[in-house]
């Protein structure tokens, strides 16, 4: 088995606001060298690096909007996020908790800072990813999975290196709680200073690491600073992380779907005919109701 080398290390791109509550760096598809295919089945990554929101009585966020054809996966590292959707899914996440919303044939949803948290304000840090669905599942029934810290599979690493919080897929023989439609591994590595961890994913799986906190060296060679994304090559299976200081790393690896992508706004389908249909269905109220 050979080593996965580093393809690129991407500094956080200029941030922009999504609604008034999410100040995000878009690592993909928009950063140089990235596109909708490079991290297939992961379509998009918006990263709200740590940012202080002042106290407010009017929670900030993004109001009712539709999605079709994929899943939104939101991880709240600091602050609290409240979500509601037209299929009845909803909840509050914080401290590394995950909202895994399968939009599939269509939902309306809204995403806001939680009301009580908003009144106090404070540091806010989160990641939202869009995970593509296989063509055969794009028109499935919508679903919502709440995965808080207690539901994750926690794996203690040897030599007090830290722990893995497994969200989806596998780490060694351990299995994460999230249901996925294609093979995906997703986890947080929480490493102590000088802690080391090894990872092993098939070479063809698209793989990246986002440095949430701290700084880690990949393969004993390249240091990844906080808030940077390292995209790995598809040249081998194994890589190592060594923490220079206490660190949190989000690790993603997924088997590419290799299907055509037609994307427009909040819809991701396989053809533009299907995009036109999504717009029509949305206009005709077929995504349900949410106020
Ligand atoms: Mn959304």
């Amino acid at each position: 088995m050979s080593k996965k080398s580093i393809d690129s290390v991407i500094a956080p791109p200029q941030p922009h606001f999504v609604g008034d509550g999410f100040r995000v760096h878009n690592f993909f598809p928009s950063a140089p060298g990235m596109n909708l295919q490079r991290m297939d089945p992961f379509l998009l990554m918006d990263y709200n690096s740590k940012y202080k929101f002042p106290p407010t009585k009017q929670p900030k966020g993004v109001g009712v909007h539709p999605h079709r054809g994929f899943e939104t996966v939101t991880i709240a590292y600091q602050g609290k996020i409240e979500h509601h959707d037209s299929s009845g899914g909803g909840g509050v996440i914080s401290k590394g908790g995950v909202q895994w919303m399968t939009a599939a044939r269509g939902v309306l949803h809204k995403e806001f800072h939680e009301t009580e948290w908003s009144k106090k304000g404070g540091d806010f840090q989160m990641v939202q990813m869009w995970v593509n669905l296989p063509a055969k599942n794009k028109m499935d029934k919508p679903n919502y999975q709440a995965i808080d810290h207690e539901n994750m599979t926690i794996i203690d690493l040897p030599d007090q290196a830290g722990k893995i919080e497994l969200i989806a897929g596998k780490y060694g023989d351990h299995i994460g709680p999230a249901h996925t439609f294609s093979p995906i591994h997703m986890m947080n590595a929480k490493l102590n200073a000088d802690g080391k961890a090894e990872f092993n994913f098939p070479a063809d799986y698209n793989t990246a690491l986002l440095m949430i906190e701290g700084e880690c060296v990949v393969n004993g060679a390249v240091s990844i600073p906080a808030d940077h994304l390292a995209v790995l090559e598809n040249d081998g299976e194994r890589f190592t992380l060594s923490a220079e200081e206490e660190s949190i790393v989000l690790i993603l690896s997924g088997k590419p779907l290799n299907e055509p992508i037609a994307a427009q706004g909040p819809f991701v389908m396989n053809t533009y005919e299907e995009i036109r249909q999504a717009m029509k269905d949305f206009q005709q109220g077929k995504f349900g109701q949410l106020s």
Side-chain angles (χ1 to χ4, degrees):
M1 255 185 299
S2 63
K3 208 168 65 180
K4 257 189 209 308
S5 47
I6 292 181
D7 177 354
S8 56
V9 179
I10 304 173
Q14 271 303 107
H16 67 275
F17 266 87
V18 177
D20 62 3
F22 304 97
R23 179 186 175 271
V24 302
H25 311 275
N26 181 261
F27 280 106
F28 51 86
S30 73
M34 300 301 280
N35 50 46
L36 284 166
Q37 284 79 27
R38 176 61 186 88
M39 282 298 297
D40 178 14
F42 307 100
L43 296 159
L44 171 147
M45 177 187 274
D46 272 346
Y47 174 48
N48 190 135
S49 58
K50 207 179 294 173
Y51 183 79
K52 205 181 260 320
F53 281 92
T56 173
K57 288 194 177 113
Q58 195 62 51
K60 294 181 186 295
V62 49
V64 177
H65 60 280
H67 291 296
R68 174 179 280 180
F70 61 97
E71 306 184 280
T72 64
V73 178
T74 309
I75 309 178
Y77 289 98
Q78 298 206 50
K80 291 187 177 181
I81 304 171
E82 194 167 339
H83 159 99
H84 295 281
D85 69 56
S86 54
S87 74
V92 176
I93 52 163
S94 60
K95 290 191 187 301
V98 182
Q99 295 172 335
W100 196 298
M101 186 192 75
T102 306
R105 70 185 176 218
V107 294
L108 306 177
H109 80 156
K110 55 182 180 180
E111 305 156 274
F112 281 92
H113 299 175
E114 192 260 343
T115 309
E116 292 306 312
W117 184 87
S118 297
K119 287 179 188 166
K120 293 189 201 117
D123 281 334
F124 187 82
Q125 188 179 20
M126 71 104 205
V127 176
Q128 184 169 92
M129 287 160 283
W130 289 10
V131 179
N132 206 1
L133 285 169
K136 66 178 171 51
N137 299 113
K138 281 183 179 288
M139 294 301 277
D140 282 5
K141 196 167 160 279
N143 187 38
Y144 180 80
Q145 303 176 75
I147 304 163
D148 54 23
H149 187 263
E150 290 87 84
N151 305 127
M152 292 179 192
T153 306
I154 313 293
I155 301 133
D156 285 315
L157 295 166
D159 306 322
Q160 269 142 40
K163 60 183 178 180
I164 302 291
E165 297 175 349
L166 189 54
I167 299 164
K170 281 185 166 185
Y171 183 79
D173 296 331
H174 303 273
I175 297 170
H179 169 265
T180 67
F181 289 83
S182 63
I184 285 170
H185 305 291
M186 185 183 294
M187 64 203 73
N188 289 311
K190 294 196 168 164
L191 299 178
N192 298 321
D194 297 324
K196 288 182 177 43
E198 270 194 33
F199 301 87
N200 186 341
F201 305 121
D204 66 320
Y205 280 35
N206 290 321
T207 303
L209 337 158
L210 177 63
M211 199 60 54
I212 303 290
E213 288 274 356
E215 178 157 355
C216 288
V217 174
V218 177
N219 293 333
V222 179
S223 188
I224 316 296
D227 299 332
H228 284 55
L229 182 80
V231 179
L232 302 189
E233 280 285 6
N234 298 88
D235 57 351
E237 294 84 17
R238 298 179 57 250
F239 65 95
T240 60
L241 285 181
S242 328
E244 301 277 86
E245 54 189 280
E246 204 173 294
S247 298
I248 302 175
V249 192
L250 172 64
I251 296 153
L252 305 173
S253 186
K255 183 182 167 75
L257 299 174
N258 290 321
E259 292 177 341
I261 297 173
Q264 196 164 320
F267 309 123
V268 183
M269 302 301 289
N270 302 109
T271 69
Y272 284 96
E273 182 50 42
E274 291 167 339
I275 293 285
R276 282 189 288 276
Q277 188 63 48
M279 288 172 174
K280 205 166 148 189
D281 290 349
F282 170 57
Q283 282 156 8
Q284 293 177 352
K286 291 185 181 167
F287 283 47
Q289 294 222 318
L290 187 69
S291 53

